[in-house]
Amino acid sequence: MQLTVWTYEGPPHMGAIRIAASMQDVHCVLHAPQGDSYADLLFTMIARSAKRPPVTYTSFQARDMGADTAELVRKTLRETVDRFQPQALLVGEACTGELLQDQPAALAQGMGFDCPVVPLELPAFTRKEQWGASETFHQLVRTLLRGQPPRARDPAAEGRRPRANLLGATALGFRCRDDIAEVTKLLDGAGVDVNLSAPAGASPEDLRRIPEADFNICLYPEIAQSTCAWLERMFKQPWVKTVPIGVGATRDFLREVGEVAGIDTSAAIAAGRTRLPWFSRSVDSTYLTGKRVFIFGDASHVIAAARIATEELGFEVVGLGSYSREFARELRTAAERYGVEALISDDYLEVESAVLELAPELVLGTQMERHIAKRAGIPCAVISSPVHVQDFPARYAPQMGFEGANVIFDTWVHPLMMGLEEHLITMFREDEEFHDEAVASHLGSGRVSSSSAETAARPAATAEPTMSADDMGAEAALVWESEAERELKKIPFFVRGKARRNTERFAAERGVARITVETLYDAKAYFGR
């Protein structure tokens, strides 16, 4: 563990809370100190949930440490079951509670509750939130399906359409609500019914119906991959592994559904309607073609985004990474395809250093990358959790399926177009028609505003040379001449920082103390070879 002011993932018990908050009639009891209830704000304030998550804390205090904290656990468990009457009870420990070694799950199993008790082993000092969510969902499914035998399934013989389970969507996930709706439409068009979606929206009784489906669809591997693998092993249920984010991936998804379900999905693929392919070909290439992009987030969204960026939008991936350590192998394989090295890290400062070094023209990431890109003056779009309140929209905004591809196109291209507009406004700021003091064109070009006339009457001020921030503290700081500074401002703002750094590096290596317009263009020619 490390002290940080921002983190991509919380501890594993946050993952357990996400599963409980996603479901109906499930309650989670955590052995945790007073103050750990901060997690409630993530659901009520960030995700705008209408009710607080179904979690109860033992809330021990410092004075309890010398007493019998195990009795506090029993008291909390009894009161929770009596009050909420859950169909399933999740029991685990938060970080500090783990140190007390009270074994709350074992205590709960020995108390004779009528509902199933799911013990959670959540190593707070070695694992994190996504692993905790995956493990909690896995253990919940295993507990509820214990004793059920595998069953034979033949949709054609039973006179029905194939049935699928959609697994992996959770509270606090990125656009999960709309993804489920979009994928359900896709499957219906392909002739497949949805048996259930879990954990989001499901109850323990629903989970007991998982074996009734013919196959499973792993929509979010970070949450559902281990559960899908276990269901295949124990209940002979095959599973679809393709995540349908992007036009190409959605078509691949439908093909894989056809193979697993034994049906022809070619008509559904042909019927798919999305504007992304045509828009990406028809839009001004200034916005898209060859744009250098850096991608960071959870593994599934990063891998999907890299494919969309290169195959469907004509971007160049210059950096790729994730905080999902459990999927490092898949990320490195994806990175190799684009000729880059995967950055596997949960340190936002390391990610920021990579962004500043690569100086991309677009950043695709989490809420943290949005902040990093804003400070660096780089356009950014959010593609993955963790996110802030604005990325839980009221409107329909899926990432998956053909409609998701439309949403992605708008989301990614908009910051590039706005960036170009800002650059054009800056570039023409000194033009006689567009400068700040110019009067409206319909009033006549010969008129000048009073403030402009006053400015013209005053002698022109000489711009003071500025000192490079990169060389502050050096013995002989580089000095930019005013003409060179003005020329530098003509460069688009989202690559201006890189141009400044390259010019200063070029000048420093050659012992040039004053940077002129000629130095700027010499550096451009040198680094553009």
Side-chain angles (χ1 to χ4, degrees):
M1 298 185 74
Q2 67 183 71
L3 183 64
T4 181
V5 298
W6 204 91
T7 180
Y8 290 99
E9 295 183 270
H13 71 265
M14 265 304 305
I17 297 175
R18 285 177 60 182
I19 299 300
S22 303
M23 299 184 64
Q24 306 295 323
D25 300 320
V26 172
H27 203 90
C28 180
V29 173
L30 287 174
H31 193 25
Q34 189 177 41
D36 259 16
S37 57
Y38 71 90
D40 288 15
L41 294 177
L42 297 175
F43 298 90
T44 56
M45 187 175 74
I46 303 299
R48 295 173 173 151
S49 174
K51 57 182 180 180
R52 63 178 296 272
V55 56
T56 299
Y57 307 89
T58 57
S59 296
F60 58 83
Q61 302 178 51
R63 65 172 178 265
D64 298 320
M65 304 298 276
D68 186 3
T69 51
E71 181 54 37
L72 177 62
V73 173
R74 294 188 190 94
K75 178 176 180 290
T76 304
L77 288 166
R78 279 192 298 269
E79 291 176 350
T80 299
V81 173
D82 289 343
R83 178 182 177 185
F84 296 103
Q85 298 293 308
Q87 292 181 16
L89 184 67
L90 308 176
V91 183
E93 301 159 301
C95 313
T96 311
E98 184 179 338
L99 300 176
L100 298 180
Q101 298 185 355
D102 283 327
Q103 304 296 318
L107 292 174
Q109 287 177 311
M111 293 179 69
F113 295 128
D114 292 333
C115 64
V117 174
V118 182
L120 301 177
E121 297 292 335
L122 303 173
F125 300 98
T126 57
R127 298 287 190 170
K128 293 207 170 185
E129 180 180 326
Q130 284 190 340
W131 183 91
S134 174
E135 178 68 9
T136 300
F137 184 50
H138 186 190
Q139 294 302 328
L140 182 58
V141 170
R142 289 186 63 155
T143 299
L144 295 174
L145 295 185
R146 185 175 294 131
Q148 286 198 35
R151 62 189 70 180
R153 292 172 290 268
D154 190 344
E158 298 171 23
R160 60 173 176 82
R161 303 204 306 180
R163 287 193 294 253
N165 296 317
L166 306 183
L167 303 183
T170 68
L172 296 185
F174 190 64
R175 309 289 172 84
C176 289
R177 175 200 66 191
D178 298 341
D179 284 346
I180 292 171
E182 185 65 20
V183 172
T184 299
K185 292 178 189 175
L186 276 178
L187 294 173
D188 182 60
V192 176
D193 293 329
V194 172
N195 182 48
L196 60 87
S197 173
S203 68
E205 281 304 310
D206 291 327
L207 295 189
R208 290 189 174 96
R209 297 192 296 107
I210 284 178
E212 296 176 10
D214 301 297
F215 61 99
N216 296 309
I217 294 175
C218 185
L219 287 182
Y220 303 94
E222 289 85 356
I223 307 299
Q225 181 169 287
S226 61
T227 301
C228 287
W230 181 81
L231 289 168
E232 181 179 40
R233 188 168 63 253
M234 302 302 294
F235 290 89
K236 313 305 178 191
Q237 284 180 311
W239 53 297
V240 174
K241 302 176 179 65
T242 303
V243 177
I245 299 179
V247 178
T250 298
R251 290 170 179 162
D252 291 345
F253 168 80
L254 288 171
R255 292 188 190 97
E256 189 177 357
V257 166
E259 293 169 2
V260 170
I263 59 176
D264 182 7
T265 57
S266 57
I269 295 172
R273 294 289 180 266
T274 177
R275 298 178 182 88
L276 185 148
W278 169 242
F279 274 31
S280 65
R281 292 195 300 270
S282 63
V283 73
D284 189 334
S285 62
T286 305
Y287 300 143
L288 298 179
T289 309
K291 283 289 183 284
R292 303 171 70 255
V293 60
F294 178 89
I295 309 172
F296 195 89
D298 68 46
S300 298
H301 285 90
V302 164
I303 292 171
R307 178 178 178 181
I308 297 169
T310 55
E311 297 180 11
E312 299 173 20
L313 293 178
F315 294 161
E316 177 192 356
V317 175
V318 296
L320 178 153
S322 176
Y323 56 84
S324 305
R325 293 185 179 276
E326 290 81 11
F327 290 81
R329 180 177 299 175
E330 291 86 345
L331 285 156
R332 291 191 175 101
T333 300
E336 287 177 6
R337 283 199 295 271
Y338 309 111
V340 298
E341 183 178 350
L343 172 62
I344 312 298
S345 175
D346 57 3
D347 184 347
Y348 71 95
L349 294 175
E350 190 175 355
V351 177
E352 182 175 38
S353 295
V355 170
L356 296 178
E357 180 181 352
L358 293 168
E361 295 161 279
L362 176 66
V363 173
L364 303 174
T366 70
Q367 178 66 22
M368 190 64 239
E369 282 65 53
R370 188 206 297 272
H371 293 310
I372 292 170
K374 184 176 182 179
R375 286 196 296 270
I378 303 172
C380 177
V382 173
I383 63 161
S384 162
S385 58
V387 297
H388 201 38
V389 62
Q390 65 265 44
D391 287 300
F392 288 97
R395 72 186 186 282
Y396 185 64
Q399 296 291 286
M400 295 184 178
F402 294 117
E403 183 58 30
N406 292 335
V407 173
I408 287 171
F409 178 86
D410 290 341
T411 304
W412 295 13
V413 174
H414 177 75
L416 288 173
M417 296 173 73
M418 293 304 293
L420 184 61
E421 284 184 16
E422 183 172 336
H423 167 56
L424 291 175
I425 291 171
T426 301
M427 189 169 69
F428 289 106
R429 190 174 297 280
E430 304 303 323
D431 189 279
E432 64 178 11
E433 288 189 60
F434 301 111
H435 65 81
D436 291 338
E437 298 297 335
V439 296
S441 59
H442 67 277
L443 297 179
S445 60
R447 298 183 60 182
V448 182
S449 67
S450 58
S451 60
S452 178
E454 292 173 6
T455 302
R458 293 196 301 266
T462 303
E464 288 294 325
T466 61
M467 185 181 297
S468 164
D470 291 344
D471 291 309
M472 293 288 285
E475 282 186 15
L478 296 172
V479 176
W480 283 73
E481 291 192 352
S482 56
E483 292 83 359
E485 284 277 14
R486 285 195 293 270
E487 196 69 17
L488 180 68
K489 289 179 181 178
K490 295 179 182 179
I491 298 173
F493 72 95
F494 43 83
V495 292
R496 193 178 300 149
K498 182 177 181 181
R500 176 183 284 276
R501 288 193 297 273
N502 283 347
T503 303
E504 291 174 350
R505 175 181 162 194
F506 177 86
E509 290 175 351
R510 286 156 181 77
V512 177
R514 296 184 67 84
I515 295 177
T516 64
V517 173
E518 289 73 21
T519 312
L520 179 63
Y521 279 99
D522 287 346
K524 178 183 177 183
Y526 175 79
F527 287 104
R529 291 184 305 180

